[in-house]
Amino acid sequence: MNYTKWWKQAVIYEIYLRSFYDSNGDGVGDLQGIIQKLDYIKDLGVDAIWVTPFYQSPLDDMGYDISDYCSILLEFGTMEDFERLVHESHRRGIKVVIDMVLNHTSDEHPWFVESRSSKTNPRRDWYVWHPGIKGDLPNNWQSAFQGSAWEYDELTGEYYLHQFSKKQPDLNWRNPQVREAMFDMIRFWLDKGVDGLRLDIINSLIEDGDFRDNIFIDNGLKIDYSKIYNNLDVAPEKIIDYTRNQPETYSIVRELRNKVIERYKDIFTVGEAYPCSPEVAGELAGEGKLDVCFHFDFLFLNKRDVRSFKEIISRWEGSIKDRGPGAWNCYYLSNHDMPRQVSVFGSEKYYKESAAMLAAFLLTLPGTIFMYQGEEIGMTDVKFNAIEHYRDIMCVNYYKRLVEEGVDLDTALSEAQKMSRDNARTPMQWSNEKHGGFTMGTPWLGVNENYRDINVRAQQGDTKSILSFYKTLIKLRKDYKTLVYGSYKPLLEEHQQVMAYIREDEHAKLLVILNMSEQMVNLQEPLDGTIDIRNTVLLIANTDQGNPFQLKPFEVRIYLV
Ligand code: GLC
Ligand code: CA
């Protein structure tokens, strides 16, 4: 077992920069804002922060559309602020992971401006252009944000590819000049001392060179693709996909490792991939590749589903041995692209208990753990009363499409509310002061009204708060590395309400029991035929203990066996 890599045992805290803390009253979170909150982050006990994009950007996709990779958008701060952030984080023993968006640039990036200017421009081939077929689209590829992935450009009469918004043209990664330019850019940031990279949608770099149509199949029948509005609408197993998970993408990842990452010390890389099965993760991550891959298996369940949770963990843990040397897993329940975990997987009735249960679930899983800002205080989804209050392009597009299809406005709004990425992006709730203490000005996106009850300050002094529970669990994970490296053995696999497992290595044996339901549950002893919980030591629980064989709704117990 290699215990030397810092990231294996790390809990990494994702910061959605725009919404974390605004230091200068313009309503937008900024780098200085993170610096001011580093002591809070340190106190939480996490090892690293992942900061979402802060580069020059017209903000069509809130910074994932970059127009200059090597300079910082003024509303986020300056290069000095960034260097200070790295310095101040390191001073506190916190590592810094930054977001790298490699698949596409902004259409306002000078490279694209040149590329679009004429068919003979030297940078024409830096993006993916196609003349179209008989005056129509090149093929049926879909954007993740709705509609065709092709946009017709008047100037030269050709189409360019954009797997996300039309202001995010895809780079042509087959072009060696593109690869070199992007590798140089990554070196620029690594030279500044960052400790890791989160590689945005890394499995989309290369598309089929023959531009073959994607094929959508359901039960052996082809689905009419004209009915599909975005490529997230269809389950991955129903698509023969020529835009994602292409073998050439896998070789680029290895090239990146060889030519760039390997030249630095201890750089952590996590790739975002959708769709991502264990097989795909095996291609993208492991020795000579990236370190880990995000998969979306929990998030796409979209509800609390105990049996599926069990099945997902068993599948990912079980696949490690088949994925070759260096295979490692990571888990998370929330990020900036998904609704809030308590709203999706928890319970309104047992709000606090369920938030604590999810914390205990996440922080007792093997591997590298990611958590998302606000999760530690149990932040919830927001319901803005009009579409005008939403900023997320994906949700606004979705709303428009529903309305175009004739769906009534109320239903369209409630559908948009449920899926909006703004659920995760409302400003961090620091206190019960105006705007949750996030800004002295007007926040760029409305603060969730429940900030008066749910906020950091209210929870800081309370030993029974969700925040305190997170801190205790993070510390437990530090004290018992078994939770990181130990084996994972599921118990009660058929149980519909309770999730239970053993984490074990040569140092310790821990038993985790999570009631994932709103009901009282009676446990049948002995749990796996051997363990008698009366002979164990209770390390952590989220309720006062009564009958050891009865679990209250969302009760969590972690025992030392
Ligand atoms: C990733 C990001 C998301 C962004 C998209 C396009 O999925 O997490 O926020 O919109 O890539 O860059
Ligand atoms: Ca600001």
Side-chain angles (χ1 to χ4, degrees):
M1 187 80 57
N2 185 350
Y3 280 88
T4 58
K5 303 259 187 245
W6 67 267
W7 48 267
K8 287 195 166 175
Q9 57 194 49
V11 176
I12 302 178
Y13 184 81
E14 178 186 358
I15 294 181
Y16 191 72
L17 176 58
R18 285 188 87 66
S19 302
F20 191 60
Y21 185 61
D22 174 20
S23 71
N24 64 353
D26 66 356
V28 174
D30 42 54
L31 296 170
Q32 277 296 342
I34 304 181
I35 295 172
Q36 291 183 23
K37 295 294 183 186
L38 280 174
D39 288 332
Y40 168 79
I41 294 168
K42 174 79 191 159
D43 188 47
L44 195 56
V46 298
D47 305 273
I49 51 175
W50 146 29
V51 186
T52 56
F54 39 73
Y55 319 98
Q56 274 313 321
S57 164
L59 302 176
D60 183 57
D61 185 23
M62 290 304 150
Y64 284 88
D65 48 319
I66 298 171
S67 53
D68 181 352
Y69 286 92
C70 295
S71 70
I72 290 181
L73 189 67
L74 197 56
E75 64 185 32
F76 294 139
T78 61
M79 197 58 86
E80 288 69 49
D81 293 335
F82 179 77
E83 285 161 1
R84 176 125 284 231
L85 173 64
V86 173
H87 177 76
E88 289 296 322
S89 301
H90 287 171
R91 210 163 65 76
R92 291 169 176 81
I94 299 169
K95 309 257 188 201
V96 179
V97 175
I98 62 172
D99 223 309
M100 280 285 141
V101 187
L102 306 182
N103 177 65
H104 44 265
T105 68
S106 161
D107 65 338
E108 297 180 31
H109 194 294
W111 297 340
F112 188 71
V113 174
E114 280 186 48
S115 180
R116 148 191 266 177
S117 68
S118 88
K119 287 188 195 170
T120 53
N121 185 281
R123 289 206 216 275
R124 182 64 167 186
D125 189 47
W126 280 43
Y127 293 82
V128 184
W129 290 95
H130 194 288
I133 292 174
K134 299 198 187 105
D136 206 351
L137 298 170
N139 59 28
N140 71 356
W141 294 350
Q142 301 273 322
S143 131
F145 290 167
Q146 200 203 340
S148 170
W150 295 101
E151 179 73 9
Y152 183 71
D153 201 40
E154 293 282 340
L155 203 61
T156 53
E158 287 193 335
Y159 295 84
Y160 66 85
L161 179 72
H162 60 90
Q163 298 202 58
F164 292 86
S165 102
K166 61 181 183 208
K167 284 184 67 65
Q168 292 167 296
D170 272 54
L171 282 160
N172 175 13
W173 273 84
R174 286 209 174 83
N175 184 325
Q177 289 176 328
V178 168
R179 294 209 290 275
E180 286 316 318
M182 294 304 266
F183 291 168
D184 275 345
M185 178 278 287
I186 298 172
R187 291 181 192 109
F188 171 88
W189 289 103
L190 293 178
D191 288 339
K192 293 209 175 285
V194 307
D195 307 284
L197 308 172
R198 178 265 187 188
L199 301 154
D200 190 65
I201 203 74
I202 195 69
N203 62 330
S204 289
L205 295 186
I206 290 277
E207 303 78 36
D208 181 48
D210 296 329
F211 299 97
R212 278 173 286 183
D213 269 344
N214 283 342
I215 301 170
F216 302 92
I217 308 169
D218 198 4
N219 282 324
L221 296 172
K222 277 198 180 184
I223 307 176
D224 176 4
Y225 70 78
S226 64
K227 301 254 162 35
I228 295 164
Y229 287 87
N230 82 41
N231 63 4
L232 305 176
D233 268 7
V234 186
E237 61 277 9
K238 295 182 181 169
I239 313 181
I240 298 178
D241 193 332
Y242 291 109
T243 57
R244 299 178 288 197
N245 297 334
Q246 302 295 297
E248 279 177 83
T249 296
Y250 304 147
S251 31
I252 291 173
V253 162
R254 289 191 290 270
E255 189 181 333
L256 170 68
R257 177 100 218 176
N258 271 330
K259 289 195 175 158
V260 186
I261 310 296
E262 279 302 308
R263 311 292 158 105
Y264 294 79
K265 199 167 168 281
D266 271 351
I267 300 298
F268 167 60
T269 50
V270 49
E272 181 203 28
Y274 182 79
C276 183
S277 57
E279 294 71 40
V280 170
E283 298 286 358
L284 288 168
E287 212 170 275
K289 297 171 261 187
L290 305 178
D291 293 320
V292 287
C293 245
F294 287 130
H295 64 78
F296 287 75
D297 289 359
F298 289 142
L299 305 195
F300 275 82
L301 289 175
N302 242 329
K303 60 172 191 296
R304 184 175 66 251
D305 177 343
V306 182
R307 295 289 295 276
S308 298
F309 285 159
K310 293 178 186 178
E311 191 266 324
I312 290 167
I313 301 165
S314 294
R315 174 150 37 93
W316 281 90
E317 291 309 309
S319 74
I320 285 200
K321 57 183 183 322
D322 306 322
R323 298 199 326 245
W328 189 251
N329 281 335
C330 70
Y331 292 99
Y332 66 105
L333 295 174
S334 284
N335 67 21
H336 66 285
D337 288 330
M338 295 286 157
R340 287 278 175 184
Q341 67 190 46
V342 244
S343 300
V344 184
F345 303 129
S347 145
E348 260 173 36
K349 188 165 164 211
Y350 295 99
Y351 162 72
K352 202 173 151 187
E353 293 81 353
S354 63
M357 181 281 286
L358 292 170
F361 175 39
L362 180 69
L363 288 160
T364 54
L365 290 176
T368 303
I369 300 298
F370 286 85
M371 51 183 286
Y372 178 64
Q373 71 185 41
E375 148 183 354
E376 73 275 24
I377 54 167
M379 279 177 65
T380 64
D381 282 357
V382 71
K383 276 199 175 77
F384 294 131
N385 57 16
I387 195 72
E388 291 68 40
H389 299 306
Y390 286 89
R391 298 280 171 274
D392 168 22
I393 180 175
M394 192 168 179
C395 135
V396 173
N397 284 352
Y398 180 63
Y399 175 86
K400 285 190 200 148
R401 156 194 153 190
L402 293 178
V403 173
E404 271 163 30
E405 280 176 349
V407 172
D408 69 89
L409 297 185
D410 286 347
T411 313
L413 182 63
S414 86
E415 288 300 308
Q417 284 170 342
K418 269 183 256 160
M419 60 76 78
S420 180
R421 300 188 295 175
D422 290 333
N423 283 315
R425 299 176 183 184
T426 60
M428 179 74 181
Q429 295 164 203
W430 293 104
S431 70
N432 62 3
E433 284 158 37
K434 202 170 173 207
H435 305 310
F438 161 71
T439 177
M440 301 293 273
T442 308
W444 73 279
L445 177 70
V447 176
N448 192 320
E449 282 304 311
N450 64 19
Y451 74 84
R452 290 180 191 86
D453 300 317
I454 302 176
N455 66 67
V456 169
R457 194 178 294 160
Q459 295 192 22
Q460 260 169 339
D462 174 3
T463 52
K464 296 203 145 106
S465 65
I466 301 170
L467 179 61
S468 299
F469 199 59
Y470 264 90
K471 285 192 209 170
T472 309
L473 286 162
I474 293 170
K475 178 151 188 315
L476 184 83
R477 202 174 170 84
K478 297 262 123 60
D479 293 346
Y480 289 93
K481 297 278 187 299
T482 308
L483 290 173
V484 177
Y485 299 103
S487 63
Y488 166 88
K489 181 175 160 223
L491 306 177
L492 312 179
E493 281 185 277
E494 303 302 316
H495 208 291
Q496 310 274 0
Q497 293 150 312
V498 175
M499 173 122 200
Y501 39 87
I502 304 273
R503 302 298 320 283
E504 185 173 10
D505 65 5
E506 63 273 33
H507 307 293
K509 182 171 181 181
L510 297 159
L511 166 65
V512 180
I513 303 179
L514 311 162
N515 181 358
M516 293 196 165
S517 80
E518 301 193 347
Q519 286 88 45
M520 287 276 226
V521 177
N522 291 314
L523 290 176
Q524 302 289 333
E525 274 261 85
L527 277 186
D528 71 338
T530 56
I531 298 171
D532 178 353
I533 51 178
R534 283 164 303 195
N535 294 335
T536 57
V537 180
L538 182 68
L539 295 175
I540 286 187
N542 66 338
T543 61
D544 297 329
Q545 291 304 294
N547 179 347
F549 302 110
Q550 196 170 58
L551 296 171
K552 299 184 188 110
F554 297 102
E555 179 164 353
V556 167
R557 295 186 201 156
I558 304 172
Y559 293 102
L560 184 61
V561 179

